[in-house]
Amino acid sequence: MWQNNVKISFRNLKKHKSLTVINVLGMAVGLAACLLIGLFIFDELSYDQHVKDGERIYRVALETADSKWAGSPGPLAEGLRSDFAEVENSTRIMKFPELDQMLLKSESNGEVTQFYESKGYYVDSTFFQVFEYEFLTGLPSNALKAPNSVILSASLARKFFGEADPMNQPLTIGLPFGDFDYTITGVFEDTGVKSHVDANFFLSMENNDIGNAVKGMTNWATNNIFYTYVKLLPNTDTGAFEEKLIPFFDRHGAEDLKAMGSFSKSLFLQPLTAIYLSSSIDYELGVTGNMTTLYVFGSVAGFILLIACINFMNLATARSEKRSKEVGIRKLLGAKKNELIRQFLGESLIISVLGLIMAFLLASLLMPYFNQLTGKDLELYQRAFPLLAIFILAIAAGLLAGIYPAFFLSAFTPSTVLKGRFKGRLSGFSLRQVLVVFQFAISACLILMVFVIKNQLDFVQNQDLGFKKDQQLILPLKSEDAVFKYDVLKTSMMQNPNVKSVTLASTYPGIESIEDMMYYADGKTVEDVVNITNAYVGDDFVETLGFQLLEGRTFTEEYTSEYPMMILNESAIKSLGYEVAEAVGRKIHFEWRGELNTLEIVGVVKDFNYQSLHTKINPYAFIKQNRGGYLIANFVGSSTNDVLAAAKSGWDKFNIADPFVYSFLDQDFQRNYEKEERVANIIIGFALLAIFIACLGLYGLTAFMTEQRTKEIGIRKTMGATDWSIVALLSKDFGKTVLLAILISVPISLYLSNAWLENFAFKIELQWWYFAVTGLVALMIAMITVSFQSVRTALMNPVESLKSE
């Protein structure tokens, strides 16, 4: 019997080729979207899932009155290990301030290989006892026991040594305060490893570069540059353990906190497996994902597939009158209702299977572009679970799309339909209206989201940041040699007429700045401290970057002071309790290791966005001190190549051994919005797919409706109706339906847009005309789709349409 049903199904699909193409193509696009987004979501969910005993590993983070920090004080890990029996082990990762990149050098046969490398972290000797890594060479148990040990990723090892064995090979780490020799004691596999600790190499915390400084970081209130992790014993009650952290921190840190004037710090736990997607706190170790983004992408994929299913339901019920006689005859010949349901569901499943086959072809073609959009390196067949999931989803979609038409068609009464008194049309027509409204409400929401996202990204790109980010060349000075030769390099570059000014800074706008200090004003005490972020800069820093000076003066060689000089932004001045007009010449203080330190305010600059527009403007200080980091050169527009050549010439002339690497400030700043740009591009792409599928279904539905009214149109034309009046007649009902969909989409769009904009401290205001334009675009798309078929029908010769069957 089932063979007969399959034959009938294929005959019906072949008979209505255009509808079959519409349904299969819609299902294929929907399933391809689900497959691609599913691979992305599965990849994001896989972070830190490979870690053995990961459910027992937690990060201990810091909370203050107004913020949360992933960083924690230096002595925390040892204190947890000593005080709590529940702690099996603890370890620290340290991202040292201003060392976002390090210069790695290897020498072989007299040839030096050197690269600037990021994602290098100092770690405790217990690191590989908490985190399990697959080692290709070396043993995790003793890889960090020896001082000055370095463990490389397999990718980095191949970059330096090719296929040669790197074990026990020397590797020099170039830092702004000197070159330091390390020994390679292990190589770990990094291919396919997904972790929020996205490391290229690990350096032992026991070393002769920053080791002594780290040992001196015993204050519980400061030095929050460590990431502390604990591995708890099995069956530990984490809730009870977290509650113990409050008295524990008070016991150890109360005195240090009191000395700093800060009493509101506390500790909390973050499960390892939840950090990548669920942690939204300050000073993260690296780039993190966002669970909300996954919900958005998953919803978009689901809606696209649902639109495809709606197309099938709409088109199936639209041709219900034609199939009613088939149902009536088959019932008279003895067909049972269950048999008819199985046949109609079978037709739907055939559509979904054909769509699945085409979906894999589409996904294979689109995968390179999708990887470019997401910044990932996904492969279509790399894991079995997503493929199995999409197969199950295709079957479920087929059943969902076919279940209503199957029950609707199989319920016809033979005597009624064969006498021509067909009663199913009204209910089918009402359902189709509801489904079309649903389709275009989704489409209108996606169109508005695209509009809002693009406008917000344009806003952040064109917003006045309070400094000049264009025509700014950045040269990293990451070795002692490069820092030492800064002055002669600056002199050499300034001889080029296209270079306006050159300065030195420990950090610059657009990259994370983590150095801060608790300051208090004259006449106040440590009880009144204000947390101010610091950047150490050289002469001409304010002029080079174009900060607006409100009061006082900038840093130049002509001016000196008894105290270290600093320039503050407006927010810092106000937080300290000073007035901007009266701040110059005033002193501010901080206490460090029992000593009082004083600085003099020599200038005030207008508030600026030092990082991105995601964050609010915070108190900021520029302190005059020629510390290594970055050379910044402001140059004349359109002279980029000339300035680069001049910089490279000076670099070579003074025999700076570091590789010549450069970037531009505007590009570096723009990287803060890469995540949003990727989300925007993905939503734009899938919004276009959703609209395409909706229009595909609307086109097919219009074709059926106009076919049913062919004779009516012929009569109207014979009676004198114009072509445009016919087009208006056929388009009117669909226009009303789409307008209703647009109205329904407004509150949903408003909620989604506001939710997305909450990620930004500075954002656009939603205007009424956003919704008007969105509605107009959705209506135009729908009307163009409907009109294409309507015009074709209206132009038919009435003689042909009035011919008898």
Side-chain angles (χ1 to χ4, degrees), residues 492-506:
S492 173
M493 291 185 67
M494 287 299 296
Q495 292 174 0
N496 188 307
N498 290 315
V499 177
K500 297 179 180 179
S501 61
V502 177
T503 191
L504 180 71
S506 63

Side-chain angles (χ1 to χ4, degrees), residues 324-604:
S324 62
K325 291 182 180 179
E326 172 197 340
V327 172
I329 292 171
R330 292 184 66 183
K331 278 193 171 184
L332 284 176
L333 294 175
K336 299 287 190 293
K337 182 177 180 179
N338 289 342
E339 294 171 356
L340 293 170
I341 289 174
R342 281 197 295 271
Q343 192 213 306
F344 292 130
L345 285 176
E347 288 184 20
S348 177
L349 288 173
I350 289 172
I351 292 287
S352 66
V353 170
L354 291 174
L356 180 63
I357 294 170
M358 187 178 288
F360 276 104
L361 294 174
L362 283 173
S364 298
L365 292 172
L366 294 173
M367 184 60 76
Y369 305 102
F370 187 70
N371 280 333
Q372 189 175 355
L373 279 179
T374 59
K376 290 185 176 290
D377 190 22
L378 302 174
E379 294 178 11
L380 191 58
Y381 306 105
Q382 64 185 6
R383 292 187 177 94
F385 179 77
L387 303 182
L388 178 62
I390 200 67
F391 178 78
I392 295 172
L393 186 62
I395 300 301
L399 293 174
L400 174 66
I403 197 164
Y404 176 77
F407 280 93
F408 178 71
L409 293 170
S410 63
F412 294 157
T413 305
S415 59
T416 303
V417 297
L418 291 176
K419 288 178 182 179
R421 294 195 294 271
F422 178 64
K423 300 296 183 185
R425 185 176 174 187
L426 180 61
S427 62
F429 181 70
S430 299
L431 175 68
R432 287 198 298 277
Q433 281 186 317
V434 171
L435 295 179
V436 170
V437 167
F438 184 77
Q439 278 185 317
F440 273 88
I442 294 171
S443 299
C445 285
L446 291 173
I447 292 171
L448 182 72
M449 284 302 297
V450 168
F451 195 63
V452 170
I453 290 172
K454 292 300 289 182
N455 274 275
Q456 175 64 20
L457 290 179
D458 288 342
F459 172 78
V460 299
Q461 289 173 358
N462 299 314
Q463 176 75 353
D464 181 11
L465 301 172
F467 63 90
K468 298 175 182 176
K469 60 184 176 67
D470 298 322
Q471 282 80 53
Q472 304 282 5
L473 174 66
I474 310 292
L475 301 180
L477 306 177
K478 294 298 182 180
S479 71
E480 189 176 32
D481 178 55
V483 174
F484 178 75
K485 293 176 179 175
Y486 160 73
D487 288 327
V488 290
L489 184 59
K490 174 181 178 178
T491 302
S492 173
M493 291 185 67
M494 287 299 296
Q495 292 174 0
N496 188 307
N498 290 315
V499 177
K500 297 179 180 179
S501 61
V502 177
T503 191
L504 180 71
S506 63
T507 183
Y508 61 91
I511 63 173
E512 186 177 40
S513 181
I514 62 173
E515 286 204 52
D516 61 351
M517 185 58 68
M518 308 296 281
Y519 295 98
Y520 59 91
D522 269 339
K524 297 186 178 181
T525 67
V526 290
E527 302 292 329
D528 308 299
V529 290
V530 175
N531 189 17
I532 301 178
T533 303
N534 299 328
Y536 297 94
V537 304
D539 294 330
D540 305 317
F541 178 79
V542 171
E543 292 85 350
T544 301
L545 286 166
F547 292 100
Q548 183 179 342
L549 187 69
L550 300 179
E551 298 289 339
R553 57 180 177 80
T554 62
F555 299 141
T556 58
E557 295 178 358
E558 291 79 17
Y559 295 98
T560 59
S561 171
E562 178 184 355
Y563 300 100
M565 294 182 289
M566 68 188 325
I567 296 172
L568 300 179
N569 68 348
E570 293 172 281
S571 293
I573 294 294
K574 293 172 184 176
S575 298
L576 290 165
Y578 291 137
E579 294 293 331
V580 171
E582 303 170 358
V584 174
R586 306 295 289 270
K587 310 294 189 300
I588 67 171
H589 316 278
F590 69 92
E591 294 185 9
W592 181 252
R593 296 181 181 177
E595 294 184 7
L596 178 65
N597 297 269
T598 300
L599 298 94
E600 181 183 350
I601 302 171
V602 298
V604 180

Side-chain angles (χ1 to χ4, degrees), residues 602-678:
V602 298
V604 180
V605 294
K606 186 177 176 61
D607 275 343
F608 54 90
N609 295 98
Y610 207 80
Q611 284 183 254
S612 70
L613 297 186
H614 291 106
T615 57
K616 63 180 182 180
I617 295 175
N618 293 314
Y620 215 98
F622 301 136
I623 301 173
K624 183 175 180 181
Q625 189 176 18
N626 285 347
R627 282 172 50 173
Y630 303 93
L631 178 149
I632 305 171
N634 179 226
F635 59 91
V636 176
S638 74
S639 62
T640 305
N641 292 334
D642 181 56
V643 171
L644 276 175
K648 181 66 167 62
S649 174
W651 198 271
D652 295 336
K653 176 182 177 182
F654 301 113
N655 298 314
I656 299 176
D658 302 7
F660 181 76
V661 178
Y662 65 89
S663 65
F664 296 99
L665 194 151
D666 56 344
Q667 295 174 357
D668 291 344
F669 202 90
Q670 190 58 33
R671 291 192 184 98
N672 288 293
Y673 308 112
E674 280 185 350
K675 189 184 296 184
E676 282 73 22
E677 288 180 342
R678 285 174 178 166

